[in-house]
Amino acid sequence: MAMTTTCDVAIVGAGLGGCFLALLLGRNGHNVVVVEQGPAIPAAGADFVKRPGMGVLARHGLGSLVERHALKRDIVRYYHDGEAIQECRYPDGFLIRPYRELVEVIYSCCSMQGVEFWFDSQIERLEHDGDRVARLVLADGRELRPGVVIAADGSRSMVRQALGITQETSAYPHIMRVATVPLTASVARLNRLYFNSDGWFSYLYPINEEQARVFIGLPLEDEREVFADGLAVDAVKDLITDNDDAYDVLGPAHWQRIPVSAMRAPAYHRGNAALLGSAAFACHPMTGMGMSYTMHDAEILAGVIGAAEGDPVLLEKGLETAYEPRRHAHAELIGYGDALAGTFHDKAAYLGVFREDLHVFGDTEPTGGGFVTVLR
Ligand SMILES: Cc1cc2nc3c(=O)[nH]c(=O)nc-3n(C[C@H](O)[C@H](O)[C@H](O)COP(=O)(O)OP(=O)(O)OC[C@H]3O[C@@H](n4cnc5c(N)ncnc54)[C@H](O)[C@@H]3O)c2cc1C
């Protein structure tokens, strides 16, 4: 006979969204099961927590825990065709902490709240009772009977598909490569973001006292040539002009290939199920806001689920009135990412679409202004 577990909330996916929501719900006394297909929490994701995310972490007493091993920066310098064009200042700074470490901090707090994690567990199908998900059936025969289901299972979300929620994905006309390299003095000094007239871009920043992360984005045809046999460093010397001490570490690096897309969904909930994080939306990584918005979304979801107190009618009403409007904030962010990505080749157009309010404050209230200094 199938082993059936009843829980208040089943969360599919143990990434940042799933773990953070599990923590908030666990703290509020909800009985939560997180189902994760992998053997552990995921390793790959973003590095930046900006103002909205820092605010969420602080509101839940996690600010200092996350900051303790994070780097805090407050300036990014931008270059076009090799020349510095502007600096963006963050009055509260922003945090750099590798995704795996950030999720690990949150995950370890979950165990103190009695949240159950089922790793190496695959959902086979969802069984519905009308609009509501009545049961999650796992590949190994176990079953979950949840009051609420959260799809936090990433951009290819199986749960979103099973709910019948469509999505619109648009691939950007460039491929990104990312590498982790030894930290050099120039990268330790300043975060630098480069663009050029060919639509190439690159971002270099430290992730700890010894290592740096480097992104290089190129149109598909250029990417094939520049990365034909590892990175042809000479090809990026006119792009990455103020980090010449990094050239020696870029060549031997292992460059992972990352196709980037924007993703929009027309609805974030159906019945007793809701989408969270990359299952709900994806924006261009150069906005640097994906994680921050996801944590804010988890906070709203935790509030809705808590206020419903197990009442399905109140739950649906809360999801409709308090959670669905998040699509507007996401749409603005996605549109902003699209605008940035479409102007990397054109300095004037890029400076024209750059929005310091969204870049620095995201969906929080801006305090003052004038944090962008145009250098040329
Ligand atoms: C290259 C890149 C750079 C980025 N840069 C930034 C940045 O600078 N700042 C920022 O804030 N955001 C950034 N983002 C976005 C950020 O990484 C996401 O917002 C964040 O990872 C969302 O977390 P998540 O929990 O929704 O998804 P994920 O971290 O993708 O977690 C999903 C989890 O679900 C699991 N899963 C999938 N399917 C199933 C299944 N069927 N059953 C069980 N488990 C399943 C997966 O194994 C995974 O563990 C970036 C993203 C990318 C790709």
Side-chain angles (χ1 to χ4, degrees):
M1 214 177 81
M3 193 184 101
T4 302
T5 304
T6 302
C7 61
D8 297 330
V9 185
I11 299 175
V12 184
L16 175 71
C19 283
F20 191 61
L21 178 61
L23 175 63
L24 300 185
L25 293 171
R27 280 181 174 175
N28 285 340
H30 296 278
N31 169 8
V32 182
V33 175
V34 182
V35 180
E36 166 59 49
Q37 66 180 4
I41 56 168
D47 295 317
F48 295 112
V49 180
K50 291 208 211 166
R51 160 92 166 257
M54 289 163 67
V56 176
L57 290 169
R59 283 198 286 280
H60 298 281
L62 293 167
S64 51
L65 196 58
V66 170
E67 279 192 36
R68 201 171 299 153
H69 299 286
L71 293 178
K72 198 160 185 181
R73 311 287 274 187
D74 57 8
I75 298 181
V76 179
R77 185 176 295 167
Y78 292 76
Y79 293 74
H80 193 268
D81 284 343
E83 293 190 339
I85 55 167
Q86 72 171 14
E87 276 184 0
C88 184
R89 285 168 194 275
Y90 293 75
D92 310 313
F94 59 89
L95 303 178
I96 306 180
R97 183 136 192 203
Y99 189 69
R100 169 80 199 222
E101 291 178 23
L102 174 63
V103 182
E104 186 83 51
V105 167
I106 295 165
Y107 168 70
S108 53
C109 295
C110 282
S111 58
M112 290 180 264
Q113 305 302 329
V115 174
E116 244 184 89
F117 281 81
W118 295 3
F119 289 106
D120 287 318
S121 297
Q122 193 85 37
I123 304 283
E124 192 174 83
R125 64 178 191 279
L126 271 58
E127 290 184 357
H128 286 83
D129 177 4
D131 230 11
R132 297 175 54 76
V133 178
R135 229 187 332 231
L136 300 176
V137 181
L138 277 72
D140 61 11
R142 281 178 295 170
E143 292 183 359
L144 262 175
R145 277 181 176 277
V148 184
V149 175
I150 302 297
D153 52 345
S155 52
R156 293 198 192 125
S157 176
M158 172 263 182
V159 178
R160 182 186 63 226
Q161 288 170 41
L163 292 170
I165 299 178
T166 55
Q167 101 281 11
E168 185 196 309
T169 301
S170 39
Y172 290 108
H174 44 249
I175 296 287
M176 285 200 340
R177 294 272 190 155
V178 62
T180 304
V181 298
L183 184 62
T184 63
S186 67
V187 183
R189 234 179 348 259
L190 194 62
N191 286 24
R192 291 180 171 87
L193 229 163
Y194 299 93
F195 309 103
N196 73 15
S197 300
D198 295 322
W200 296 16
F201 59 97
S202 181
Y203 191 19
L204 297 91
Y205 55 88
I207 53 168
N208 54 40
E209 303 296 329
E210 279 129 37
Q211 293 173 302
R213 201 87 78 201
V214 183
F215 283 89
I216 298 180
L218 303 169
L220 190 55
E221 56 281 10
D222 296 336
E223 190 255 355
R224 281 204 196 100
E225 206 178 308
V226 171
F227 284 95
D229 185 19
L231 169 67
V233 178
D234 283 345
V236 295
K237 285 186 177 171
D238 287 344
L239 173 73
I240 302 170
T241 47
D242 255 0
N243 291 100
D244 43 358
D245 62 354
Y247 297 155
D248 285 347
V249 298
L250 298 183
H254 169 70
W255 290 92
Q256 195 194 333
R257 200 164 189 264
I258 311 174
V260 272
S261 309
M263 196 275 280
R264 297 165 167 86
Y268 282 1
H269 82 287
R270 180 147 298 168
N272 59 339
L275 314 181
L276 174 63
S278 299
F281 78 103
C283 55
H284 197 281
M286 285 304 151
T287 65
M289 282 288 177
M291 291 206 295
S292 292
Y293 275 48
T294 294
M295 285 191 279
H296 189 184
D297 298 341
E299 187 183 43
I300 293 169
L301 268 180
V304 167
I305 293 168
E309 294 181 338
D311 180 327
V313 177
L314 281 181
L315 176 73
E316 276 209 58
K317 203 168 164 200
L319 290 173
E320 184 59 37
T321 55
Y323 192 56
E324 282 293 341
R326 288 297 289 162
R327 283 191 297 116
H328 304 305
H330 296 168
E332 184 183 37
L333 186 68
I334 297 166
Y336 177 54
D338 289 354
L340 288 178
T343 57
F344 289 158
H345 62 288
D346 181 335
K347 182 175 93 176
Y350 185 82
L351 292 175
V353 300
F354 190 90
R355 282 182 55 183
E356 63 184 82
D357 59 337
L358 262 186
H359 226 86
V360 174
F361 303 108
D363 54 349
T364 58
E365 200 59 37
T367 46
F371 302 106
V372 171
T373 310
V374 177
L375 302 171
R376 276 168 213 269

